[in-house]
C-alpha cells in the first residue's frame, strides 16, 4: 500500500508519466500503476501510484461500474509453434525466458496456449501424426515428433503457471485425408470414413497430450478454414461442412471418449460473421460447440459482439494475431504497442473475448524458422547463435493484461473515449482486486483523465501511445 507521505510527494511532482495530477481530500484506496511507453523508456515498469479520494472530478473521466458484469476471462498468451518450441528449448536462456513468460510473480504470467496439431507455417518440417498411405484405423498415430521439445516446454509452462489453459488447432489433416493428397492445399474429404477418421485423429491427439501431462481444454476443427495457402499446411472447410463435421463426427467422438474438451467454431478473421453464425445456427453442431475463435487479419473486433448478440450463450475467444515488421500497425515497437493494445486487449475483451492470444511465442532474428512469413514477430526474439533473447512489443502488450488480470476475472463496465483518444477496459479479479488497462491512443499528445469508482476518484496523465495498468483492492 502507498503511504500518505509517498502520495503527498507524488502530488508535488511535475506533470510526467506516473504522476497523479491533483490531491483528493480524505485518501481512501491506494492504486498501483505499471506502464509501458512507446519510446521503451518504461517497460512494464512500476510507477508512483495514486490514491482514490473524495471530490467531484472535472474533465474526461473513466467511470467504473462493478455492478455491470460481462464475460469471465480464461487467459492471455501465444503459441508454442514447432519453431517457437524448438528455439526456446534449445536456448541457453530457456529457464529465464520461460520464467519471464509464464511465472505469475517473476514474469508476466501468461496463462493461455494455442497449440498447432501437427505442422503450421512456423514449423521446421512438414509433419502430421499419421502421414503416409491411407490408415483409417489410425494404427500409425503417434505424437513422437513432439516428445523432444514441444511437450517439454509445454509441461514447463504448466509447472510455472498451473492455471494455464491449452487450446489445440490443426492447420491440416494428414495428407491421406485431403483432396490434394498433401498437407498443403485442398480440403478434408467429406466421405463418412474420412470424417470419422479425422474426428478420431483429433480425439487421439487430445488423449495423447493428456497422457503426456498437457490437458487440452479447447479444440477448433480447422485453422483459418476460408484460406488455402500455397506454401504451408492448410485446408478450406465450408461453414456447412464444419457444422456437419462437428455435429455428426467430432462432437460425438469427444463425448464417446469421455472428454470434456470444448469445441470452438471458425478460428478465422473478424471480417466474416456469416461463417460462425452458420455453424452456431445448426442445432446439431451447436450442442457440441462452446463458442467461436477469432483472428485479427481482417475486419474489426466488433464482429465478435455481432455473433455474441445473436448467440449469447456461446463464448468468444480471440486466438491469433501476429505482429509483422512490414504491416502498417506493427512496423515499430510503438505501433505494435498501440495497435495491439487497442484492438486486442481493449477491443477484443470489450467485445466479449475470454482470451487474447498472439501468434508465435518466439522467433529468431530472421522471423523463422518459417515456411512462409519472414516479417512476422513473436513475443520474444531468440538468437541461439549469440545466446540472446529480446522481448518485443507483444510481450508487453500481453503483460499489461496477463500480469494483472487472472483466470476467472470478470470484465466490468467502464466508459471509453473512443479511437484515437483514451481507451480502457476494466476487470474484477477473483481475489476482489480491480485491474484497469488504459491506452492513450493519441499519437502525439499526452492525455489527462480521471478514474472514478464507488464515488471516489483520482487523476492521472499518460504520454502519447503509452499503456498503463491500474490495480486496487
Amino acid at each position: 500500500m502507498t503511504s500518505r507521505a509517498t502520495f503527498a510527494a507524488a502530488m508535488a511532482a511535475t506533470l510526467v508519466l506516473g504522476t497523479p495530477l491533483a490531491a483528493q481530500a480524505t485518501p481512501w484506496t491506494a492504486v498501483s500503476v505499471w506502464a509501458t511507453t512507446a519510446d521503451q523508456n518504461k517497460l512494464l515498469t512500476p510507477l508512483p501510484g495514486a490514491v482514490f479520494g473524495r471530490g467531484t472530478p472535472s474533465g474526461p473521466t473513466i467511470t467504473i461500474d462493478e455492478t455491470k458484469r460481462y464475460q469471465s476471462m480464461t487467459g492471455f498468451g501465444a503459441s508454442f509453434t514447432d519453431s517457437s518450441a524448438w528455439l526456446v528449448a534449445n536456448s541457453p536462456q530457456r529457464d529465464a525466458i520461460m520464467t519471464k513468460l509464464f511465472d505469475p510473480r517473476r514474469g508476466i504470467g501468461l496463462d493461455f496456449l494455442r497449440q498447432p496439431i501437427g505442422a503450421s507455417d512456423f514449423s521446421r518440417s512438414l509433419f502430421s501424426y499419421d502421414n503416409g498411405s491411407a490408415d483409417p484405423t489410425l494404427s500409425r498415430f503417434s505424437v513422437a515428433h513432439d516428445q523432444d521439445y514441444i511437450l517439454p516446454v509445454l509441461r514447463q509452462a504448466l509447472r510455472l503457471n498451473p492455471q494455464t489453459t491449452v487450446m489445440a488447432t490443426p492447420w491440416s489433416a494428414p495428407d491421406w485425408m485431403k483432396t490434394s493428397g498433401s498437407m498443403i492445399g485442398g480440403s478434408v474429404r467429406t466421405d463418412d470414413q474420412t470424417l470419422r477418421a479425422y474426428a478420431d485423429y483429433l480425439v487421439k491427439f487430445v488423449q495423447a497430450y493428456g497422457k503426456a501431462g498437457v490437458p487440452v481444454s479447447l479444440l477448433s476443427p480447422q485453422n483459418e478454414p476460408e484460406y488455402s495457402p500455397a506454401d504451408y499446411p492448410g485446408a478450406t472447410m465450408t461453414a456447412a461442412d464444419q457444422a456437419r463435421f462437428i455435429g455428426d463426427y467430432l462432437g460425438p467422438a469427444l463425448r464417446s471418449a469421455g472428454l470434456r474438451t470444448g469445441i470452438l467454431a471458425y478460428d478465422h478473421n473478424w471480417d466474416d460473421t456469416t461463417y460462425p453464425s452458420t455453424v452456431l445456427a445448426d442445432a446439431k453442431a451447436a450442442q457440441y460447440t462452446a463458442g467461436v475463435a477469432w483472428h485479427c487479419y481482417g475486419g474489426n473486433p466488433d464482429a465478435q459482439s455481432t455473433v455474441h448478440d445473436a448467440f449469447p450463450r456461446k463464448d468468444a475467444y480471440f486466438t491469433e494475431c501476429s505482429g509483422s515488421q512490414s504491416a502498417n500497425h506493427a512496423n515499430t515497437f510503438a505501433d505494435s504497442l498501440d495497435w495491439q493494445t487497442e484492438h486486442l486487449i481493449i477491443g477484443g475483451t470489450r467485445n466479449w473475448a475470454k482470451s487474447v492470444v498472439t501468434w508465435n511465442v518466439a522467433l529468431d532474428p530472421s522471423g523463422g524458422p518459417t515456411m512462409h512469413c519472414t516479417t512476422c514477430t513473436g513475443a520474444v526474439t531468440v538468437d541461439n547463435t549469440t545466446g540472446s533473447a529480446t522481448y518485443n512489443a507483444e510481450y508487453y502488450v500481453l503483460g499489461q493484461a496477463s500480469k494483472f488480470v487472472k483466470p476467472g476475472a470478470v470484465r466490468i463496465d467502464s466508459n471509453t473515449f473512443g479511437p484515437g483518444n483514451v481507451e480502457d477496459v476494466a476487470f474484477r479479479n477473483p481475489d476482489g482486486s480491480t485491474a484497469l488497462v488504459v491506452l492513450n491512443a493519441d499519437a502525439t499528445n499526452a492525455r489527462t483523465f480521471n478514474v472514478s469508482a464507488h464515488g471516489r476518484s483520482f487523476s492521472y496523465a499518460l504520454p502519447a501511445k503509452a499503456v498503463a495498468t491500474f490495480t486496487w483492492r
Side-chain angles (χ1 to χ4, degrees), residues 56-372:
T56 302
S58 60
T61 301
I62 299 169
T63 301
I64 310 294
D65 184 354
E66 295 184 1
T67 67
K68 294 181 180 178
R69 300 190 169 202
Y70 304 93
Q71 79 276 19
S72 63
M73 297 303 298
T74 302
F76 301 84
S79 297
F80 267 120
T81 59
D82 182 72
S83 297
S84 292
W86 181 78
L87 285 167
V88 173
N90 289 284
S91 171
Q93 294 199 45
R94 170 178 170 166
D95 289 344
I97 293 168
M98 294 295 290
T99 296
K100 290 194 68 170
L101 287 168
F102 296 100
D103 191 297
R105 183 174 58 86
R106 295 175 293 170
I108 61 173
L110 295 184
D111 45 28
F112 197 108
L113 287 167
R114 175 174 177 255
Q115 291 309 117
I117 301 175
S120 70
D121 41 331
F122 287 90
S123 296
R124 299 169 62 242
S125 64
L126 199 64
F127 70 94
S128 80
Y129 305 112
D130 196 340
N131 262 17
S133 58
D135 180 25
T137 64
L138 303 176
S139 62
R140 291 191 307 262
F141 181 91
S142 171
V143 295
H145 171 279
D146 298 4
Q147 296 287 358
D148 185 24
Y149 49 89
I150 297 177
L151 284 164
V153 295
L154 293 178
R155 286 191 292 263
Q156 186 174 3
L158 291 170
R159 286 194 301 271
L160 287 164
N161 193 346
Q163 294 193 78
T164 299
T165 294
V166 178
M167 174 188 173
T169 304
W171 268 240
S172 173
D175 50 10
W176 56 272
M177 298 185 188
K178 302 278 293 297
T179 58
S180 62
S182 168
M183 291 184 68
I184 298 174
S187 58
V188 178
R189 300 203 317 266
T190 57
D191 60 280
D192 179 75
Q193 184 183 57
T194 301
L195 293 177
R196 288 189 186 281
Y198 190 34
D200 290 343
Y201 174 85
L202 297 177
V203 167
K204 281 183 173 290
F205 173 85
V206 173
Q207 292 172 325
Y209 260 50
K211 290 179 181 177
V214 182
V216 176
S217 299
L218 296 165
L219 176 70
S220 67
Q222 175 62 50
N223 175 68
E224 299 188 347
E226 296 185 295
Y227 177 55
S228 180
D231 53 356
Y232 65 88
T236 56
M237 178 181 281
T238 68
D241 283 345
Q242 184 165 113
R244 178 182 169 225
F245 179 59
I246 293 172
D248 290 344
Y249 299 94
L250 182 57
L254 288 167
R255 181 171 294 180
S256 177
L259 296 169
R260 301 182 65 182
T261 303
I263 299 173
L264 300 183
Y266 191 45
D267 220 352
H268 210 161
N269 293 334
W270 288 321
D271 57 5
D272 185 358
T273 59
T274 300
Y275 189 117
S277 297
T278 298
V279 177
L280 295 180
D282 183 283
K284 191 177 288 187
Q287 68 177 312
Y288 298 110
T289 305
V292 178
W294 299 91
H295 296 185
C296 75
Y297 308 113
N300 294 293
D302 57 6
Q304 297 172 180
S305 286
T306 298
V307 175
H308 175 271
D309 292 348
F311 303 93
R313 299 181 66 181
K314 301 301 182 182
D315 293 323
Y317 289 82
F318 183 82
T319 56
E320 187 186 313
C321 190
S322 179
S324 174
Q325 296 173 357
S326 65
N328 289 334
H329 63 260
N331 53 16
T332 68
F333 181 99
D335 292 338
S336 295
L337 179 71
D338 175 70
W339 194 94
Q340 292 183 13
T341 301
E342 179 181 18
H343 288 80
L344 308 187
I345 301 298
I346 296 174
T349 59
R350 288 185 77 93
N351 286 280
W352 298 98
K354 293 170 67 68
S355 66
V356 174
V357 184
T358 58
W359 188 197
N360 287 277
V361 167
L363 292 174
D364 67 23
S366 299
T370 180
M371 298 182 188
H372 177 71

